[in-house]
């Protein structure tokens, strides 16, 4: 709380003291994990310090994205994850988080990520799960068919695989026998 107040006064997000404090103490909490009247940091403050003093540390950035998601700020979470990917490159664990962060709205950026990484990460269960959930959420017939026909469907939990197969079959493109 004091670090945030210092930042509010100075607006010096490059201050290494602020980064040291955040790196040590910042832990995002879901609303159900918080105690009543618990102080919540200003995520703009946390993000500014992460960008300037934290040298865009990917582990911390992932925690920041989680915090934005907890506050229903999926767009900011997706932006943070995009910054991490720009700095460190895509990874099988990071791309699915990015897909999940943008899950509420069907948008070209998320679909471009899927197209870009579906071949390279088709053997990664987290990526395939994010891809399948995205296709199911938006009832995306071509994506459902593609997931259903791919070898990657074997990486999904049976319940998700069943939903993909059912929805793909209902949309007229997959034989289940």
């Amino acid at each position: 709380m004091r670090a945030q107040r210092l930042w509010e006064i100075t607006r010096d997000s490059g201050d290494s003291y602020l980064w040291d404090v955040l790196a040590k103490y910042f832990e995002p909490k879901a609303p159900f994990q918080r105690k009543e009247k618990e102080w919540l940091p200003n995520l703009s403050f946390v993000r500014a310090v992460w960008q300037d003093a934290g040298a865009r540390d990917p582990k911390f950035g992932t925690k920041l994205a989680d915090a934005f998601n907890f506050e229903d700020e999926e767009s900011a979470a997706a932006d943070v994850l995009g910054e991490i990917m720009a700095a460190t490159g895509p990874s099988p664990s990071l791309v699915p988080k990015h897909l999940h962060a943008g899950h509420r709205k069907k948008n070209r950026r998320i679909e471009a990520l899927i197209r870009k990484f579906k071949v390279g990460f088709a053997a990664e269960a987290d990526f395939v799960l994010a891809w399948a959930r995205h296709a199911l959420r938006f009832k995306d017939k071509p994506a459902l068919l593609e997931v259903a026909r791919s070898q990657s469907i074997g990486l999904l939990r049976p319940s998700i695989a069943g939903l993909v197969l059912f929805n793909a079959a209902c949309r007229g493109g997959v034989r289940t026998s």
Side-chain angles (χ1 to χ4, degrees):
M1 183 156 61
R2 288 181 180 158
Q4 182 174 314
R5 286 194 178 145
L6 176 62
W7 176 79
E8 289 169 351
I9 293 168
T10 66
R11 294 291 182 190
D12 181 8
S13 53
D15 186 333
S16 63
Y17 166 75
L18 297 177
W19 171 244
D20 291 342
V21 169
L22 283 178
K24 187 173 182 178
Y25 296 108
F26 177 72
E27 285 299 325
K29 291 183 180 179
F32 65 87
Q33 294 174 317
R34 298 179 194 142
K35 296 176 184 167
E36 193 174 321
K37 297 186 180 186
E38 183 176 353
W39 174 77
L40 296 173
N42 174 334
L43 295 180
S44 296
F45 151 69
V46 177
R47 185 175 184 182
V49 173
W50 169 69
Q51 289 173 323
D52 293 343
R56 294 198 166 118
D57 175 282
K59 185 176 177 183
F60 188 90
T62 301
K63 290 192 319 185
L64 177 57
D66 289 343
F68 276 121
N69 273 326
F70 291 148
E71 298 305 317
D72 292 327
E73 294 185 39
E74 291 85 9
S75 180
D79 290 345
V80 167
L81 291 165
E83 289 177 47
I84 297 169
M85 285 183 14
T88 64
S91 72
S93 62
L94 194 57
V95 171
K97 281 186 172 285
H98 193 60
L99 294 175
H100 181 70
H103 78 281
R104 288 196 180 183
K105 297 177 186 167
K106 188 170 184 174
N107 65 54
R108 291 182 209 159
R109 180 172 65 176
I110 296 302
E111 295 190 1
L113 278 173
I114 291 170
R115 280 192 307 277
K116 184 175 182 179
F117 296 111
K118 67 184 173 187
V119 173
F121 294 155
E124 302 294 336
D126 289 341
F127 176 81
V128 177
L129 177 61
W131 179 21
R133 284 183 172 166
H134 183 79
L136 287 165
R137 178 175 309 279
F138 297 106
K139 297 174 179 41
D140 184 337
K141 179 182 175 180
L144 287 165
L145 291 171
E146 190 172 5
V147 174
R149 291 176 177 157
S150 75
Q151 295 295 318
S152 301
I153 196 159
L155 297 171
L156 296 173
R157 292 189 312 256
S159 59
I160 301 293
L163 286 170
V164 168
L165 290 169
F166 176 78
N167 281 279
C170 287
R171 284 160 178 65
V174 173
R175 293 180 188 226
T176 56
S177 55

